[in-house]
Amino acid sequence: MKKKFPIGVFDSGVGGLTILKEFREQMPEYDYVYLGDNARAPYGTRSFETVYRYTLQCVQWFFVQGCELVILACNTASAKALRNIQQHDLPGMGKGKRVLGVLRPTTETIGLHTKNGHIGILATPGTVNSNSYVVEMQKFFPGIQVSQHACPMWVPLVENREYSNPGADYFIQKDIEILLKKDPAIDTLLLGCTHYPLLLKKIESYLPKGIKIISQGPVVADKLEDYLKRHEEIESRISTRGTCKFFTTDSPEDFDAHADIFLGEKVNSEHVNLVS
Ligand code: DGL
């Protein structure tokens, strides 16, 4: 019998913790390994080639750890690297390995939330410029009007733990205003970056009442649970002691300080050297 493995959860930094938190609440029985590539975050302003190279390196690291199911809890990596990894790299990496992203599960459900068919997306420049959300949403919900705006400062605000400080207000207010000018009829706002739920309080304070905000954690957790029900051959190979290990490519002290606040529990991450 093959060895059981934990689920790998990856992000450029701490944003993927918003996804991991929901996984653990919804599927506490599984073991998880989280890797944040904090040393090279943000990914959102980097080229396609660079995001692909960094993401592939991290995925390979998970496979070396024995995680055969890896979730890219990062929209930028899902938009810019996932397809290449699935089509070109995975076939040569041995049988049974899976890499899934957050874009597809989000686009499959987002159109169910809007009443008037007007959706707004705030995301990193990488995700917005890839146009992936616009293209994918038209497949699942043709006719829906999607307007997007890139917020290059939001991930650095989160990574530098500035999310509740006044400096964040300037960028959040400005970016929301720009998006709403593109389409004042937006009734549903997707936070298309896993870092953004950490800015939720400030986002809510600048968004007109009545606009529904969608964070990806619960959506992606529901979809993973459903995926595992439909893929018994993978589910039966996931280890189930309810543990979670954390790794970062940058300072474990910084990562822990961040993760402790967010997850509400003591985290002891370990350093991984992937940065060349
Ligand atoms: N959390 C990542 C995402 O969902 C942020 C990417 C970045 O590092 O800019 O896109």
Side-chain angles (χ1 to χ4, degrees):
M1 212 179 96
K2 275 188 122 184
K3 209 172 162 245
K4 295 204 171 198
F5 57 79
I7 299 174
V9 181
F10 167 72
D11 182 46
S12 60
V14 293
L17 294 172
T18 62
I19 303 285
L20 176 73
K21 192 171 187 234
E22 295 293 335
F23 285 175
R24 289 173 73 201
E25 272 173 30
Q26 220 161 301
M27 296 164 279
E29 66 277 23
Y30 298 134
D31 293 323
Y32 298 92
V33 169
Y34 184 92
L35 172 64
D37 192 6
N38 302 75
R40 301 186 290 198
Y43 278 17
T45 43
R46 296 189 188 275
S47 69
F48 180 93
E49 287 70 24
T50 303
V51 173
Y52 167 56
R53 185 159 52 86
Y54 289 175
T55 306
L56 179 60
Q57 205 181 10
C58 293
V59 165
Q60 284 165 332
W61 177 84
F62 277 109
F63 289 162
V64 171
Q65 307 309 304
C67 304
E68 301 214 342
L69 171 63
V70 179
I71 312 297
L72 303 184
C74 174
N75 290 269
T76 312
S78 301
K80 296 179 105 173
L82 181 62
R83 182 169 298 185
N84 252 8
I85 290 176
Q86 285 176 334
Q87 290 181 352
H88 303 297
D89 301 296
L90 265 187
M93 289 171 138
K95 269 182 87 173
K97 297 184 173 65
R98 297 279 195 291
V99 183
L100 306 174
V102 290
L103 227 129
R104 175 77 185 250
T106 307
T107 45
E108 277 174 4
T109 54
I110 186 76
L112 304 173
H113 296 276
T114 173
K115 289 200 170 78
N116 66 3
H118 290 253
I119 290 182
I121 301 178
L122 295 172
T124 67
T127 302
V128 168
N129 294 337
S130 76
N131 218 30
S132 304
Y133 269 115
V134 178
V135 171
E136 288 293 315
M137 275 187 202
Q138 288 313 322
K139 287 187 200 157
F140 295 105
F141 301 98
I144 270 184
Q145 187 170 327
V146 184
S147 306
Q148 42 174 10
H149 173 64
C151 312
M153 291 306 292
W154 290 23
V155 169
L157 285 170
V158 172
E159 285 292 317
N160 291 294
R161 268 184 276 160
E162 289 287 337
Y163 34 74
S164 33
N165 293 340
D169 290 72
Y170 170 79
F171 293 103
I172 292 173
Q173 183 175 21
K174 176 175 80 100
D175 288 321
I176 287 176
E177 267 176 27
I178 295 173
L179 178 69
L180 291 177
K181 261 197 197 124
K182 288 185 182 172
D183 181 3
I186 286 167
D187 75 345
T188 305
L189 173 68
L190 170 66
L191 304 183
C193 170
T194 55
H195 280 71
Y196 296 177
L198 291 156
L199 299 166
L200 189 60
K201 280 206 183 102
K202 288 201 187 283
I203 296 169
E204 280 170 345
S205 72
Y206 291 109
L207 204 64
K209 297 273 166 287
I211 298 183
K212 191 169 179 181
I213 304 175
I214 308 291
S215 298
Q216 293 174 293
V219 176
V220 178
D222 281 350
K223 286 285 176 182
L224 179 63
E225 201 172 7
D226 178 57
Y227 176 88
L228 292 174
K229 278 194 190 123
R230 289 183 289 109
H231 293 82
E232 212 270 325
E233 75 287 1
I234 299 172
E235 201 280 336
S236 60
R237 290 166 53 217
I238 300 172
S239 53
T240 52
R241 281 162 302 152
T243 66
C244 190
K245 285 189 182 161
F246 297 88
F247 296 85
T248 173
T249 56
D250 208 343
S251 146
E253 292 74 27
D254 280 352
F255 183 91
D256 296 351
H258 223 130
D260 287 358
I261 298 169
F262 181 64
L263 295 174
E265 66 178 271
K266 192 102 203 73
V267 165
N268 274 309
S269 63
E270 289 173 43
H271 177 75
V272 173
N273 194 10
L274 293 178
V275 181
S276 46

